Amino acid sequence: ADGQQLLMEMLVTRGDGGDAPPQDIDYDGIADQMDVYEFDDAEIIGELTQPDGGMNGIGGLLGTKGTDGLCEQVIVAPDEPPVSVFISDANNVYWALVRDNIRRLPVDGGLPISLGVTGLPNGGLVESNGEVYWSTRSQRIEHASALAVGAVGQLLTTSCYPQGEMAADATHVYWGDNCGPPDAKLWRAAKSTGVPELVATEGAPLSLGVRLLGGYLYWATGTTLRRRPVSGGNATTVLALPSLYSFEVNADGIVFANAAGVRRVNLDGTGEAALVTTAEARNVRVSGSQFFWSESGGKIFRAELPGGTNPIQLVQDASAMAPNFTVNNRYVYGTTGANVWRVPR
């Protein structure tokens, strides 16, 4: 009974994605193996095991127990065509199908909802103030309601192919294009009018897209991280690198992956430091005080900011190369073949 009570306290404590690491919880009194139940429908979705060196003793908390201490992926959307991009927030996860559709799935469960049929999504997808915006291979920025099934609207037709991740604030949508040097450009358009406005011109494609934080726009030109105030002014170089695979921006700095591994730098370009040393890191995500990265061989890892402490492997999926994934305050979502899955973060 004491173990069951402690287990319930753990689930309540962690149910909102709190920052307290599971390994700090006292496991005394917990039986060697206990079933874990969701509160809403008492569905068995995993097991809790005593600490054994695997995943810091968490086993399959809020996910079915896998092998080698890892969590097995729980399929939340089976038989989906290939997915080109993921994003998520506290309540929903969104993805674009490579063929023709934008989908939404509530974090608390249910069936995927089609937000609208589109023409070949091109890798850009962002949610802002109840509206989802995305780019297409037919050189359009389109949008639809994030919460209701309705008609797809066209914000504008772009002058060149949009590429990489998009960003949005209360009034504008931002994207980069791939017209090739010396004509690669960063753009924005007012949500109310769809009128495009040139933000910056670069000599290399903006293949990693654009991020928005604290009144600044951040983007990459392959080997260079750049930023500019949203309000205007000149772009400045944050960091020049020999290689750059992906990057994420949060209030504490920029986390990026390159040939040296996963690294961190202050928002102004100072204080560059290694977080993880590996030649296999590809995609990075930052959520709260943790960062996540994927490696070739279908692996996804998690570690703590600011120093890269307590690294843990979450996923091993031999059918994927470096998984495309997204993170919210409860789960890591990814895709393999025709399935969208999740594991606890």
Side-chain angles (χ1 to χ4, degrees):
D2 290 342
Q4 291 174 346
Q5 178 63 34
L6 179 55
L7 175 58
M8 294 294 287
E9 291 173 359
M10 289 168 58
L11 289 174
V12 171
T13 301
R14 301 275 316 162
D16 61 355
D19 291 332
Q23 60 266 33
D24 290 343
I25 298 172
D26 181 8
Y27 284 83
D28 291 343
I30 299 180
D32 286 344
Q33 182 168 294
M34 301 177 65
D35 289 330
V36 178
Y37 295 87
E38 282 188 323
F39 291 107
D40 55 352
D41 58 4
E43 175 191 359
I44 299 176
I45 58 172
E47 296 174 334
L48 179 67
T49 60
Q50 285 284 65
D52 58 6
M55 200 178 167
N56 283 0
I58 298 304
L61 182 59
L62 294 183
T64 57
K65 184 182 178 184
T67 58
D68 300 325
L70 305 179
C71 279
E72 183 177 332
Q73 298 100 312
V74 174
I75 305 301
V76 294
D79 301 323
E80 288 286 279
V83 172
S84 63
V85 62
F86 273 112
I87 62 170
S88 59
D89 55 31
N91 300 311
N92 296 282
V93 58
Y94 306 86
W95 62 87
L97 304 181
V98 296
R99 291 203 302 251
D100 61 1
N101 219 310
I102 307 298
R103 310 275 266 171
R104 173 176 67 85
L105 180 72
V107 170
D108 289 330
L111 296 175
I113 299 167
S114 175
L115 299 182
V117 176
T118 182
L120 299 175
N122 197 42
L125 183 66
V126 64
E127 188 276 333
S128 176
N129 298 332
E131 198 81 358
V132 176
Y133 298 83
W134 63 90
S135 60
T136 76
R137 297 182 197 176
S138 52
Q139 298 180 219
R140 295 197 302 265
I141 305 294
E142 297 179 334
H143 62 101
S145 170
L147 301 178
V149 178
V152 170
Q154 181 175 321
L155 185 66
L156 78 157
T157 298
T158 63
S159 59
C160 194
Y161 290 106
Q163 188 171 28
E165 296 186 30
M166 299 167 60
D169 57 23
T171 58
H172 290 82
V173 177
Y174 302 83
W175 72 96
D177 67 25
N178 186 20
C179 290
D183 297 323
K185 294 179 174 65
L186 179 65
W187 297 89
R188 75 176 185 178
K191 294 177 180 178
S192 59
T193 65
V195 175
E197 177 185 350
L198 180 63
V199 174
T201 299
E202 296 288 357
L206 307 181
S207 56
L208 301 181
V210 59
R211 314 293 190 274
L212 179 64
L213 180 74
Y216 279 86
L217 292 165
Y218 296 81
W219 65 93
T221 61
T223 58
T224 303
L225 279 168
R226 305 263 284 166
R227 76 173 186 173
R228 196 209 81 166
V230 172
S231 58
N234 295 324
T236 58
T237 296
V238 176
L239 194 64
L241 300 160
S243 62
L244 183 62
Y245 303 146
S246 61
F247 75 99
E248 287 290 323
V249 180
N250 73 353
D252 295 321
I254 303 171
V255 176
F256 61 92
N258 68 2
V262 183
R263 302 180 66 83
R264 179 201 169 276
V265 66
N266 294 330
L267 295 174
D268 63 359
T270 62
E272 182 185 357
L275 296 174
V276 178
T277 301
T278 172
E280 303 296 327
R282 291 299 181 267
N283 301 317
V284 295
R285 299 288 183 264
V286 175
S287 179
S289 61
Q290 298 174 325
F291 68 96
F292 303 74
W293 73 98
S294 63
E295 294 187 4
S296 57
K299 302 172 185 177
I300 297 178
F301 297 83
R302 184 198 78 205
E304 305 292 326
L305 289 170
T309 56
N310 300 324
I312 295 173
Q313 184 177 345
L314 300 177
V315 173
Q316 173 84 52
D317 187 345
S319 63
M321 292 299 290
N324 179 17
F325 70 99
T326 187
V327 182
N328 62 20
N329 61 355
R330 294 169 61 184
Y331 300 109
V332 176
Y333 290 86
T335 178
T336 302
N339 296 321
V340 176
W341 49 259
R342 78 182 188 195
V343 298
R345 59 173 285 172

